[in-house]
Amino acid sequence: MNENKCFIIGLPEAGKTTYLAALWYFLNYKKDGSLRVKKFIGDHSYLSSISRKWADTEEIPRTKPEFEKLDNILTLENSEKDNIILAFPDLSGESFQYQYERREAEKKHYELIINCLGVLLFIHPEKIKEPCLISDIPLHLRKNEEYNDNISEHSPRNPRENDPTQVQLVELLQFITYMRNNKPVNLCIIISAWDLVEETSQKEILPEEFIKSKMPLLWQYLISNSERLLVSYYGISAQGGKLQDSDKLLEITNPCERIRIIDNNGTLSKDITLPLIMIMRNVQ
Amino acid sequence: MNDKLNTNVKEDIQSETIPNELENSLNIGVDVYDDIVKLPHGNALTFEETYRITSTQRVSLIVLVGPSGCGKTTLITTIYQLLQKGPLEEYYFAGSETLSGFEQRAFPTRITSGNASSQTTKTRRGILDSILHLKLWNCNLKVFQDLLITDFSGEDYRSIIANVDLAREEFGVIRRADHIVLLIDGELISNKKYRNGIELESLHLLKTIRDANLFNKNVCVDILISKYDIVKERSLEDATIKIFVEDLHKKFNEQFFSHISNLNYFNVAAMPEDKSKTQIGYGLSALVKSWVEYKDKLPIRVTNKTLQNQMSSEFNLYDIRAMEEIK
């Protein structure tokens, strides 16, 4: 039986652990999904605990670097009853910031990267830092005394805090292609908390269009490197709404029905395993 | 130095137990140590570090020339900033080995720096080995083109004016340039007090490069007036500025036309003071296109793949020899 390894990247609070929590719940309860749990093998207590929080609409704590779980091995079966072993590590966003800043990766991450079949890249729409130029501020405002009084002190560059999110993500993807020696890999871009995107958009928007408008550098990079990064896009609302509206969310008796996922054709679904199916495609 | 490092890495790799699955796909080019993997530094590259790009990719070397304050770093930084907002016409951002180098230079122009005005940091004197890399992709032709753009100190350029020996010694690398871009400070040529001096300095700088035999036969020279928003605005009050600029073009043509088959003129306002009058990156798209498209017009010397690989290593040997000459 082949082991399908996937690798998950994203900066802090990108929605990686929430996805994993919803996924574990879905795999155990939803019978008509593309994938489901065949049996428990080993220790799944971590998945079980985050999954319970998700079901109760509680906030799921972020994964801290010291509590990373690299050995989440799921034994699944697909609709044809084929067995699939899926390695699904839960890595902290800080680990990727560390890679970006220190220019080194832990060897255990490297091993996952070079052996994985696909990569899930998580992006939270409210955590995107865009590059804002001083020249973009109208001149009359810059000449204004009040503006000059209000600008903060000049401070040295702190890459993880100051560099635009799209630059950090392009660099992380460049690291992956570098470590894999340009070997092609399936890449699934997941925009988490998709309900927030829908709420703020004037018109219907598709996941790729969102990346194109909010992170144009990343979008160009993905288009131009499509031979080694086989990209698919999804917008996922794992909770189905804001945790502040938990009463409303809990009115839905089956937590799996809260999940909302949209693909790049605009097709809506509740099957949170779709990105996994996509990254397990054979790479030519 | 790289060979030495690779030998160490190979020894490190051999001395440890490698899992079977890892062994199959281990990339020897990646520096793997006991617990960590070294990733590319991302800062501006040295010439030696550019070999891995020049030996495998389609590369144009762009050498920006001009005294301190003329806008070389701002020009490079703004090209990168424009790509952050979208493609430059049909040219898409396809990667960079120097993202960190770009970010370092771009930071003072961003609101997060806390600066009151957009001003890049001056490149320190003695930095003669600082090259930024951009990979572009033409979405119509589906081809990649790598640009290596120098970011040398303006003070170092000033020191070689009219000193052919020093120019040859310090800037031998110019001989490899596909494009030499001479930047002339638009703010200074809009000022009667300074414009004659800056014109003389610019002409002499290019003449020095020419007489030091640093032009290669295919080189394209771009004469670029920077801070063009100021030129435009001051021309409204002072009609002599327009005449001065026209004369400047004539003088460059007279002096260099017989030596350079490709002499072009550009007006650029990379970071204009008031974007309601002049857009950010004014003129840069045309400039970048000329860099990329000029390479397309040059004859392809080798088409056979095997031969091309051999030539690549020869090109590297040429690079090393050129470096030794420079040293």
Side-chain angles (χ1 to χ4, degrees), chain A residues 107 110-111 113-115 174-183 228, chain B residues 6 9-10 13 16 18-33 36-40 52:
Chain A
K107 197 167 162 192
Y110 168 68
E111 287 164 12
I113 289 167
I114 61 171
N115 292 305
Q174 290 196 138
F175 288 160
I176 288 177
T177 54
Y178 167 76
M179 287 188 260
R180 290 176 62 88
N181 204 12
N182 291 324
K183 195 171 125 195
R228 46 190 168 175
Chain B
N6 283 339
V9 171
K10 279 176 198 161
I13 291 167
E16 63 194 353
I18 301 167
N20 282 343
E21 54 185 11
L22 181 59
E23 199 173 21
N24 295 335
S25 48
L26 196 64
N27 177 4
I28 298 295
V30 177
D31 296 345
V32 184
Y33 297 91
I36 57 152
V37 173
K38 282 273 177 204
L39 298 167
R52 66 171 178 270

Side-chain angles (χ1 to χ4, degrees), chain B residues 236-252:
Chain B
L236 298 174
E237 297 154 11
D238 179 356
T240 65
I241 294 175
K242 198 174 165 224
I243 300 163
F244 184 85
V245 170
E246 283 167 4
D247 281 352
L248 185 131
H249 287 189
K250 274 185 211 153
K251 284 175 193 159
F252 271 95

Side-chain angles (χ1 to χ4, degrees), chain B residues 164 167-168 171-172 174-176 206-216 259:
Chain B
V164 168
R168 206 175 287 131
F171 286 100
I174 295 177
R175 204 177 288 128
R176 289 178 44 211
L206 200 59
K207 269 171 97 165
T208 309
I209 292 171
R210 180 193 67 191
D211 296 341
N213 293 324
L214 296 178
F215 285 162
N216 74 56
H259 297 90

